[in-house]
Every structure is written in structure tokens, then in C-alpha cells.
Amino acid sequence: MPLVIVVAGIVLLLLLIMKLKLNTFVSLIIVSFCVALALGLPLDKVVKSIESGLGGTLGHIALIFGLGAMLGRLISDAGGAQRIAVTLIEKFGEKNVQWAVVVASFIIGIALFFEVGLVLLVPIVLTMAKQMKLSPLHLGVPMCAALLATHAFLPPHPGPTVIAGEYGADIGQVLVYGILIAIPAVIIGGPVYNAIAKRIVPSGFAKKADLDAIGSFKTFDLDKTPAFGISVLTAMLPVIMMSAAAIIAVIRSEAGIADNTGFAIIRLVGDASVSMVVSLLFAMWTMGVKRSIPVKDIMASCTSAASHIGMMLLIIGGGGAFKQVLIDGGVGKYVADLFAGTNASPLIFAWGVAALLRISLGSATVAAISTAGLVIPMLATHNVNLALVTLATGAGSAICSHVNDAGFWMFKEYFGLSMKETFGTWTVLSTIVSVLGLIGVLILEGFVG
């Protein structure tokens, strides 16, 4: 019965969003109330459960999410992202331009959210494709593979950041393992699949770059942008800090070294929130003050970034409310009891649930957060690496992007594709990244599980 109620809730959510065109946050809150009542939560605990889920989720990720958005905007507004992309393309040369796009998109994708990275890189990719007389998709598929993989697997992106908090996973471990999983997923989902996609949808690759599709966009005189090295360092600093702390923690544990104040300081510096604060301050200097940009302009960029993520934060909070209702209503325990005593892997279960919700709802972030409500009780009966559960959930939430996902339509319109061509490129690409993510998680489990 609880699972029937969950399915009915998801169907209601789909109807509210897709048929009635209600705002996603409003839809999530309505469904949370309906599901809570249907599951038999005491009336005086319904509101408390929703508030607890919303507040608990946002309390963990709002700082990281907000600072990450500001960091990305500073790099973008200073021209640092354009410098990274153009420099790598020039260094790799026309023959290896796909790999230049992969590396540039991966670096930029760590600092910028998927939609922002796409909007920023598409003009550069289309311009380069036109200059080199290449198909836009020849560069677009590798670019989007890198942006999607960083979005699904790497903090400070909302999905992995929120899920890590819900599962209690070490976010540094999530980052390190996520990079190991993302690299092969990007290579196979990008340049390798590109060669296959040209046979599946040759008409898509026959199209020429249309700069009118992107409208007006901000360009920079490269001589007036930050240097390549400092741009990369600024974008990668939070990754460097968190990864270093996670690696040192593993070495200390394996070597049996006693904990001390030095290691405590390293943990503090490598904490996701602290890393983001330090990185943002560093970006204010490298992307702003050092280049004689007035502080008020730097703050304007930060304010603009914060204002643009307001609704996303509410949607994430709404997903957290729905997740908490599922837990408090006993759905998670019901699912855990179903699998009690079985050899069912929490990693495969988390991936499968996230994949079903992603295909149904469209939003990767909402799918990932909602999955947590079903998976958390199951973790109590299984000894599994929580960072890997986080990544399995992230992988599932990336699968099969189609018509209910904004990313599907952005890809279609930017590259001027038909529905068939978009399914044959973007939808398949997202599925490859998802499946390879799961495979990577299962392989890593043999070493760190």
C-alpha cells in the first residue's frame, strides 16, 4: 500500500507540473501534503514533517550552493571561463579540438551549474565550429557529456551535494570518487559516442552552426581577461582543497596515524563550506580586485548569482519536504523491510529508484533528493560506502533526459535539431553517462566498499 501511494503521488506531481503547468516547488509542496495525509501521518505532524524536510535539506546545502553560484558567476563575468575554453582549443589544435572541449567543459563544469555552463560554452563552441567548418554537434556532444557528468557526480553541484548531506557521506570522498567515475563516463559518452552518433543521426551532424540560435551573448577581448593559469586555479580551488583533505584522511586512516590538531585543521580547511568560502574570497581577488574591478561590481555579480538560484533552492527544499514525508510516513522503512535479508545491493537500488524518478519527473535534482527518502532506511541494514551510494543516486538521476527535462530542449534548440536527432544524441548521451556511472560505482565498491 505505501508504494501505491508513492506512485500515485508521483503521478499527481507529473500532472501538476506537465498538465496544469504549476510551478515545480508549489507542486512538490502540494504533493507532500497529499502523500503525508494518504500515508496516515498524524494531522499535527504533517506540517512539521514538511518543514523539517525543507529546512533540513536547505540548511545543509544553501551555503555551498549559494557560494558555488557566486564563484561561477565571478569567473564567468571576468571572462575567465572564455579564457579557459579558447586557450585549450588553441593548444590542442583543430585535430584534437574535441578533447580540448572536453577538458575545458570539465573544468568549467565543476565551477558552473549545468545550465550556466551550457549557456556560456555554446556560443564559444558554435563560433569555433563555424570557423573550423565542423558540425556543431562534433563539439557539442563532448561538451555536454562533460557538463552533465560534473553536474551528476561532483560537488558543489546541487544533486551530489544534497544527497551527500542526506546520506551523511563525506563530501570530499564523493568528490574524489566522483572524478574517477566521471572521467571514463565523459570520454565514452563524449568523443567515443560521437563517432557512433554520426551513424545514428547523420542528419544532425550535417547541420551547420547557426549563431542566430543563441541571440546576443557577452564576448571578451582575450587580452583583457584573466590569465589561463589563474582562471583554472580559481575554478579548481574548491576541488583541490576538498580532494586534498579527503586523500590525507584516507592516508592517515590506512597508515594508522593517530588523530591530532593538524589533521583537525586539514579537515576544517577541506570542509565543503570552508573550501567554498576560501575559494570565493580568492575569486574576488583574482577575478576582481587584482584586475581593478570596483568592489561594487564584484558584489553585483555575486548578488545576481544569488538571485538566479532562489527558485532552484526552493525546488530543492520542496524535494527535501517530499523526501521527509516518505520517511516519516514509513515508506522508507517499508521498502527496507521488503529487502531485509536479501542480497539486494543498495547501490543498484538507489540507482534504479533515481532513474525511474528522473524519467518520470525530468528534474535530476528532485529525483535524487526524493530517492534518498526510500534509500536511507535501507542503509541501516547494509554495510556500504555512503559516498558510493551518493554517486549511484547521482548516476541514476542523470539517465534518459527527454521531453520533461529543460536540458533536452536547451540542447535541441541551441543545435537546431529535430526531436529524433535530439533523442539520438542528447538522450542517449545522458543514458550512457548514467549507466557508466553505475558501472564505475560497482567497480569502486570492490576497492573501497
Side-chain angles (χ1 to χ4, degrees):
M1 184 63 178
L3 291 182
V4 174
I5 294 173
V6 172
V7 172
I10 292 172
V11 171
L12 176 59
L13 186 61
L14 286 171
L15 290 173
L16 292 176
I17 295 173
M18 299 178 69
K19 294 295 183 182
L20 299 182
K21 307 299 181 183
L22 288 188
N23 174 275
T24 304
F25 170 69
V26 175
S27 300
L28 281 166
I29 296 301
I30 292 173
V31 170
S32 296
F33 270 106
C34 293
V35 171
L37 294 172
L39 288 172
L41 251 68
L43 295 180
D44 60 342
K45 292 185 178 180
V46 171
V47 174
K48 290 181 180 178
S49 178
I50 291 173
E51 289 178 344
S52 172
L54 194 150
T57 299
L58 291 182
H60 172 72
I61 66 103
L63 182 62
I64 300 170
F65 195 23
L67 293 174
M70 293 179 188
L71 173 65
R73 178 56 63 88
L74 286 175
I75 296 170
S76 174
D77 287 353
Q82 183 171 323
R83 165 71 79 170
I84 292 171
V86 173
T87 300
L88 285 173
I89 290 170
E90 290 177 349
K91 294 292 185 184
F92 275 74
E94 184 172 340
K95 183 179 179 181
N96 299 309
V97 67
Q98 275 196 104
W99 297 102
V101 170
V102 165
V103 175
S105 301
F106 196 88
I107 294 172
I108 293 169
I110 291 172
L112 302 180
F113 300 138
F114 176 82
E115 293 83 359
V116 180
L118 190 61
V119 170
L120 178 73
L121 286 171
V122 161
I124 299 172
V125 163
L126 291 184
T127 301
M128 292 295 174
K130 191 166 187 175
Q131 291 174 350
M132 298 178 180
K133 297 181 180 180
L134 297 171
S135 163
L137 279 182
H138 182 72
L139 304 181
V141 169
M143 174 191 74
C144 288
L147 290 177
L148 179 62
T150 55
H151 178 76
F153 301 130
L154 305 184
H157 287 274
T161 303
V162 173
I163 309 165
E166 296 293 346
Y167 292 152
D170 183 290
I171 205 163
Q173 282 189 12
V174 173
L175 182 60
V176 174
Y177 299 159
I179 290 174
L180 294 176
I181 291 170
I183 290 174
V186 170
I187 292 172
I188 297 174
V192 174
Y193 177 63
N194 222 6
I196 300 171
K198 290 175 182 177
R199 300 187 183 95
I200 297 175
V201 282
S203 57
F205 286 84
K207 295 181 178 179
K208 297 181 179 179
D210 179 15
L211 296 180
D212 292 335
I214 56 178
S216 60
F217 59 93
K218 189 174 182 180
T219 58
F220 299 88
D221 181 346
L222 277 187
D223 292 334
K224 296 180 181 179
T225 59
F228 173 74
I230 199 66
S231 297
V232 172
L233 178 60
T234 303
M236 295 291 289
L237 186 59
V239 177
I240 294 170
M241 293 177 66
M242 286 187 277
S243 300
I247 292 170
I248 291 173
V250 171
I251 293 173
R252 184 192 71 79
S253 176
E254 293 297 323
I257 303 173
D259 198 9
N260 55 46
T261 304
F263 288 118
I265 293 173
I266 291 172
R267 284 195 297 273
L268 175 64
V269 174
D271 179 83
S273 296
V274 176
S275 296
M276 292 308 303
V277 170
V278 172
S279 299
L280 180 62
L281 292 174
F282 185 70
M284 289 179 182
W285 168 254
T286 59
M287 300 290 114
V289 175
K290 185 180 179 182
R291 302 176 59 245
S292 300
I293 295 176
V295 173
K296 68 175 184 178
D297 290 346
I298 298 173
M299 291 301 101
S301 291
C302 292
T303 301
S304 175
S307 65
H308 278 81
I309 65 169
M311 182 51 65
M312 175 60 78
L313 282 172
L314 286 178
I315 292 172
I316 290 172
F322 184 48
K323 174 269 306 179
Q324 193 62 42
V325 162
L326 296 180
I327 292 176
D328 293 344
V331 176
K333 184 177 184 303
Y334 177 80
V335 172
D337 290 342
L338 283 179
F339 286 90
T342 70
N343 294 322
S345 167
L347 299 176
I348 296 177
F349 178 74
W351 180 86
V353 172
L356 288 173
L357 290 175
R358 157 68 160 181
I359 293 170
S360 302
L361 302 176
S363 170
T365 302
V366 173
I369 299 170
S370 301
T371 298
L374 299 174
V375 174
I376 288 173
M378 189 178 181
L379 299 179
T381 59
H382 290 77
N383 183 22
V384 62
N385 187 296
L386 297 178
L388 295 182
V389 181
T390 299
L391 292 168
T393 306
S397 72
I399 200 169
C400 196
S401 171
H402 60 97
V403 295
N404 60 359
D405 177 27
F408 176 91
W409 297 104
M410 292 176 73
F411 187 89
K412 176 184 180 298
E413 295 304 317
Y414 276 140
F415 293 100
L417 305 177
S418 67
M419 293 292 286
K420 177 184 176 182
E421 291 163 350
T422 310
F423 280 119
T425 51
W426 170 247
T427 303
V428 176
L429 180 160
S430 62
T431 302
I432 290 173
V433 169
S434 174
V435 173
L436 289 176
L438 174 63
I439 293 173
V441 165
L442 295 176
I443 292 174
L444 276 179
E445 184 185 26
F447 295 94
V448 301

